[in-house]
Amino acid sequence: MAPTAVALPGLERFTQGQYKEIALGPKAYEKKIEEEGTKDQPKAAYQNYLPVWDSNEKYQPLEPFTHYEHGIDADVSFPELLGSSVQKVDLTPTIGSEIRGIQLSSLTEAGKDQLALLAAQRKVLAFRDQDLADLAIEDALPFGAYFGRLHIHPTSGSAKGYPEVHLVHRGIGDTTAQQLLTERTSTVAWHSDVTYENQPPGTTFLYILDKPTTGGDTLFVNHVEAYHRLSPAFQERLHGLQAVHSGIEQSESSRSRGGVVKREPVTSVHPVVRTHPATGEKALFVNPQFTRFIVGYKKEESDALLKFLYDHIAYGADFQARVKWDEKTVVVWDNRVTGHSATLDWANGQRRHLARITPQAERPFETPFKLNEQQTAHRNNGQEKAHGDSN
């Protein structure tokens, strides 16, 4: 049986979040200009990836499926993925690695297993000099499908004939980001992808097709490290809490812009702290674009807790990474343990065009709270100080 929208008392009072979408979708799309270019801007480099929005394209609610996590099977020495000829440079101590010297499209199943695990461990991987964009789309999709059922985005433009390809596209002359900055101070919008789904994405792939000369980087944040930075007492309090994630605003935004809604929106309830099935790591699983409220909390209580968590994640520059897009770059990340945001910081009207393949994963779950040795020492130290202060 297909999952239905969550029916919770007072839901309508909470599902009024600020959705991140600021592109105009089909209203802003100039097909001829994208295909032919202008005197100042070239035509789209990958025209088979130009977006289409088909109002007749409709899909039934997603059915539950059993996800198999391939990272569990990985050889932790990564022999197929990180061989002697491969160069790996970590972007920061806690998140992000840049990798050269391996072609993702040629990985064996063992190599793909290792890719799933490394993405979970390092959170985001930037592979340079890749051929994924140059493959026929029908050859690129099976690569992604190894990692899970391919998600069809309910509102985005997609490649013609390939609804599984989610396109991130800002065409020549698109100035919506500058319009946004007349009302806001920043274009940053932290989120994890489509968390309103009953089974949100896991290992995810985004590859560049066209890019501005400079700008348009993507920011990533480590939700595992964000969880670790909290005190043991606060971590323990978050365990057992659940939050509602909503796709309603995304669909309403698309309709208001003359866009499409290929599948009716849903809401789902997920734990605030989830556990990764391959690493066992715990991560915060909330984001301001799709999370609406904490189940069982009054509005003011829910808003206060979520604002603290959102700010904690957003201000965590010491557990974030910035990926700069070069030609033929493929970025692989694990949506279960990260958040991300585009930076819409270029104003010269150049095209930014990327394709995302989005395998779904398991339904989020949590495991019981348990202190590790470092946390136990921290808690014991705090108790000793409190005892000493009382004398």
Side-chain angles (χ1 to χ4, degrees), residues 90-332:
D90 291 342
L91 300 178
T92 78
T94 63
I95 177 173
S97 298
E98 182 178 273
I99 299 175
R100 299 177 185 270
I102 184 73
Q103 197 62 248
L104 291 175
S105 62
S106 66
L107 286 176
T108 63
E109 288 192 355
K112 293 175 185 176
D113 295 346
Q114 294 162 31
L115 176 61
L117 180 61
L118 188 63
Q121 291 179 346
R122 291 298 303 161
K123 311 312 183 258
V124 57
L125 308 169
F127 289 88
R128 306 300 187 181
D129 304 315
Q130 299 296 304
D131 64 4
L132 194 60
D134 298 315
L135 300 178
I137 296 177
E138 58 264 31
D139 294 329
L141 288 176
F143 174 82
Y146 180 81
F147 299 89
R149 182 176 72 184
L150 296 184
H151 183 257
I152 296 176
H153 198 282
T155 66
S156 75
S158 57
K160 186 176 182 179
Y162 299 98
E164 302 90 350
V165 177
H166 167 79
L167 293 174
V168 179
H169 180 271
R170 289 185 181 275
I172 294 174
D174 188 326
T175 60
T176 51
Q178 286 67 55
Q179 294 171 19
L180 175 74
L181 289 174
T182 65
E183 302 175 356
R184 303 184 191 179
T185 59
S186 174
T187 63
V188 172
W190 289 108
H191 65 287
S192 302
D193 292 320
V194 298
T195 59
Y196 51 77
E197 299 290 13
N198 189 252
Q199 294 179 252
T203 310
T204 306
F205 303 86
L206 185 66
Y207 46 106
I208 194 71
L209 304 168
D210 273 309
K211 69 180 191 68
T213 303
T214 186
D217 302 345
T218 302
L219 310 176
F220 290 87
V221 59
N222 183 344
H223 281 199
V224 172
E225 186 64 21
Y227 171 80
H228 286 164
R229 295 292 178 92
L230 300 173
S231 67
F234 200 91
Q235 292 174 353
E236 188 172 11
R237 184 64 192 89
L238 293 179
H239 276 265
L241 295 182
Q242 295 183 311
V244 169
H245 297 240
S246 171
I248 295 171
E249 297 82 0
Q250 186 181 72
S251 293
E252 290 179 347
S253 174
S254 182
R255 286 191 174 106
S256 71
R257 293 178 287 111
V260 298
V261 177
K262 306 172 192 176
R263 190 173 57 248
E264 288 304 307
V266 298
T267 57
S268 294
V269 176
H270 298 312
V272 170
V273 177
R274 73 179 297 178
T275 301
H276 194 283
T279 65
E281 291 183 314
K282 296 176 184 294
L284 297 179
F285 195 63
V286 294
N287 71 90
Q289 305 309 319
F290 301 121
T291 308
R292 293 296 166 254
F293 66 93
I294 305 294
V295 176
Y297 275 28
K298 293 182 178 181
K299 184 179 189 305
E300 294 85 355
E301 298 165 342
S302 175
D303 289 350
L305 178 55
L306 288 175
K307 182 180 186 303
F308 169 79
L309 294 176
Y310 298 157
D311 288 349
H312 171 57
I313 290 168
Y315 298 154
D318 52 349
F319 48 88
Q320 295 173 8
R322 187 182 190 108
V323 173
K324 293 189 70 67
W325 291 99
D326 291 333
E327 291 184 6
K328 298 186 180 299
T329 294
V330 177
V331 170
V332 185

Side-chain angles (χ1 to χ4, degrees), residues 308-360:
F308 169 79
L309 294 176
Y310 298 157
D311 288 349
H312 171 57
I313 290 168
Y315 298 154
D318 52 349
F319 48 88
Q320 295 173 8
R322 187 182 190 108
V323 173
K324 293 189 70 67
W325 291 99
D326 291 333
E327 291 184 6
K328 298 186 180 299
T329 294
V330 177
V331 170
V332 185
W333 76 98
D334 197 315
N335 251 306
R336 293 168 288 196
V337 291
T338 60
H340 60 277
S341 175
T343 53
L344 309 181
D345 56 350
W346 74 104
N348 57 9
Q350 292 181 325
R351 180 189 300 108
R352 183 179 186 266
H353 187 195
L354 306 96
R356 191 180 82 202
I357 298 176
T358 317
Q360 292 177 255

Side-chain angles (χ1 to χ4, degrees), residues 33-53:
I33 290 177
E34 292 302 298
E35 291 178 344
E36 299 178 6
T38 67
K39 66 176 182 178
D40 299 317
Q41 303 287 352
K43 65 183 180 180
Y46 291 87
Q47 301 206 3
N48 57 329
Y49 277 99
L50 285 175
V52 296
W53 294 265

